[in-house]
């Protein structure tokens, strides 16, 4: 096993017995959550076939750079710890798809974070982010971004470059107005702006892919204008959606009535056509009788 960095000298060198049994069974997942760990046990970084690593709520303050040796890792949970920075080694995990960094002490993300091009889900809620991390703008494949309970006041104009984003959680930040870049996020399915200080919303009806918009606990006077396919969560949302459903139901009934009337008209036209054919047949028979040899 490769030797650790200077900070790893005092690291525990044995895994908890339950974890050892888990790995002996051929499991590619290691669960260390809830254990009190001053540092990551040294042997963890030598488990090169590991795919899922859960280290939530352990009190960790740092990670060794050797974390980059876990090149098969897909899921890494580091939430509810005391991390103050993300090590560069973590940014070199080539297959990582889900990363949970919520409830730590992070003020930002390193530029190297953009190397995680396979990342699809990032939870970084309940930290100390005053600015949107620029590295994320270089990650167009990211689909789910959880940034609730931070210190954000604005969003960068380049946000629409994150073209793969489908879910964006921004509740509990410090927005005083609806962030303009969100108006160009036409691919979003879920948008959560609960518990901010937004007093009014622009027209959002053009966001046709949006399915859920939560704006609760903002000092707004009226619900936002959205497409009929959007579920709203917030003050006045229930009444608005009930009125919308009544309107849509009325339109459906009107369309059904028009279809029934059209079907009736087609039936009448068909009957008239049949009557005309019978008349033509009768006239043909009469003409044939007029020309019968017996009459000549």
């Amino acid at each position: 096993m490769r030797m650790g960095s200077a900070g790893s000298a005092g690291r525990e060198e044995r895994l908890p017995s339950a974890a050892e049994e888990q790995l002996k069974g051929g499991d590619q997942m290691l669960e260390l959550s809830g254990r009190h760990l001053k540092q990551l046990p040294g042997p963890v970084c030598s488990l090169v076939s590991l795919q899922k690593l859960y280290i939530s709520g352990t009190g960790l303050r740092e990670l060794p750079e050797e974390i980059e040796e876990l090149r098969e890792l897909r899921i890494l949970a580091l939430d509810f710890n005391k991390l103050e920075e993300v090590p560069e080694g973590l940014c070199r995990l080539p297959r990582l798809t889900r990363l949970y960094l919520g409830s730590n002490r992070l003020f930002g993300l390193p530029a190297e974070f953009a190397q995680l091009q396979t990342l699809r889900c990032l939870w970084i809620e309940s930290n100390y982010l005053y600015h949107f991390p620029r590295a994320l703008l270089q990650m167009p494949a990211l689909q789910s971004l959880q940034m609730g309970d931070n210190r954000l006041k604005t969003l960068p104009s380049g946000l629409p470059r994150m073209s793969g984003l489908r879910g964006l959680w921004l509740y509990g930040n410090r927005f005083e107005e609806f962030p303009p870049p969100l108006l160009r996020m036409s691919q979003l399915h879920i948008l959560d702006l609960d518990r901010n200080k937004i007093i009014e919303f622009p027209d959002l009806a053009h966001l046709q892919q949006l399915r859920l918009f939560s704006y609760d606990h903002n000092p707004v006077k009226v619900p936002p204008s959205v497409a009929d396919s959007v579920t709203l969560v917030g003050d006045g949302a229930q009444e608005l959606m009930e009125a919308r459903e009544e309107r849509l139901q009325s339109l459906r009934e009107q369309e059904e009535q028009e279809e029934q009337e059209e079907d009736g008209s087609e039936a009448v036209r068909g009957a008239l056509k049949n009557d005309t054919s019978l008349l033509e047949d009768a006239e043909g028979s009469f003409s044939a009788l007029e020309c019968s040899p017996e009459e000549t």
Side-chain angles (χ1 to χ4, degrees):
M1 182 185 70
R2 177 176 163 182
M3 294 297 293
S5 58
S8 65
R11 192 189 313 153
E12 287 184 45
E13 291 302 325
R14 287 186 58 82
L15 292 173
S17 57
E20 289 181 342
E21 291 300 320
Q22 189 180 97
L23 292 170
K24 286 178 182 177
D27 202 336
Q28 293 177 319
M29 177 190 78
L30 181 58
E31 175 65 82
L32 297 175
S33 297
R35 305 174 187 276
H36 182 68
L37 300 174
K38 292 183 178 180
Q39 293 175 313
L40 191 67
V44 171
C45 293
S46 65
L47 303 173
V48 294
S49 64
L50 200 63
Q51 294 188 9
K52 302 175 184 178
L53 178 56
Y54 300 92
I55 326 173
S56 304
T58 62
L60 278 178
R61 295 178 179 273
E62 62 178 0
L63 285 173
E65 288 295 333
E66 287 80 8
I67 193 80
E68 69 177 286
E69 296 177 9
L70 302 179
R71 301 184 65 79
E72 296 296 324
L73 205 61
R74 268 69 166 175
I75 300 175
L76 178 57
L78 293 164
D79 44 333
F80 296 99
N81 283 299
K82 299 178 181 179
L83 299 175
E84 297 183 0
E85 62 180 15
V86 175
E88 291 185 18
L90 187 153
C91 302
R92 290 190 284 270
L93 295 174
R95 293 175 175 80
L96 196 65
T97 60
R98 298 183 185 183
L99 178 58
Y100 301 97
L101 291 169
S103 299
N104 277 283
R105 300 174 178 178
L106 301 173
F107 282 83
L109 296 174
E112 293 79 8
F113 197 86
Q115 297 175 23
L116 295 173
Q117 289 295 309
T118 59
L119 201 64
R120 297 293 179 267
C121 174
L122 173 62
W123 286 32
I124 193 170
E125 77 283 5
S126 301
N127 277 282
Y128 299 97
L129 301 180
Y130 285 85
H131 303 285
F132 189 92
R134 293 284 170 175
L136 298 180
L137 300 179
Q138 302 175 49
M139 303 175 70
L142 194 64
Q143 297 176 358
S144 177
L145 180 56
Q146 163 64 280
M147 300 186 75
D149 288 326
N150 276 286
R151 309 289 193 273
L152 300 175
K153 291 184 177 181
T154 62
L155 295 177
S157 60
L159 187 68
R161 294 206 300 267
M162 300 181 70
S163 57
L165 206 58
R166 297 295 181 267
L168 179 58
W169 288 263
L170 295 167
Y171 59 83
N173 277 279
R174 299 179 178 179
F175 297 108
E176 296 183 359
E177 63 176 20
F178 186 86
L182 292 177
L183 292 172
R184 294 181 287 126
M185 298 294 286
S186 58
Q187 79 283 5
L188 279 180
H189 292 180
I190 300 172
L191 178 59
D192 189 340
L193 282 167
D194 280 6
R195 293 190 286 110
N196 280 282
K197 300 178 181 179
I198 302 173
I199 59 175
E200 64 178 347
F201 290 96
D203 189 339
L204 304 176
H206 66 286
L207 300 179
Q208 292 294 315
Q209 297 299 316
L210 197 62
R211 293 296 175 264
L212 175 64
F213 179 39
S214 185
Y215 63 95
D216 210 9
H217 301 100
N218 279 280
V220 293
K221 295 181 180 180
V222 294
S225 176
V226 294
D228 289 338
S229 57
V230 180
T231 297
L232 289 171
V233 179
D235 190 26
Q238 186 63 34
E239 294 83 356
L240 184 146
M241 289 190 293
E242 288 176 356
R244 180 173 68 189
E245 182 56 33
E246 290 179 2
R247 174 173 57 83
L248 293 175
Q249 181 62 30
S250 178
L251 287 173
R252 285 193 291 267
E253 291 174 355
Q254 182 179 346
E255 289 175 356
E256 289 175 1
Q257 183 177 353
E258 290 175 353
E259 288 178 0
Q260 290 174 359
E261 291 175 355
E262 180 65 25
D263 291 342
S265 298
E266 289 181 359
V268 171
R269 286 194 294 269
L272 288 174
K273 183 178 179 182
N274 290 336
D275 290 346
T276 302
S277 300
L278 289 172
L279 183 59
E280 290 174 350
D281 292 344
E283 290 177 347
S285 300
F286 182 72
S287 299
L289 286 172
E290 285 183 333
C291 299
S292 173
E294 295 177 358
E295 297 291 330
T296 57

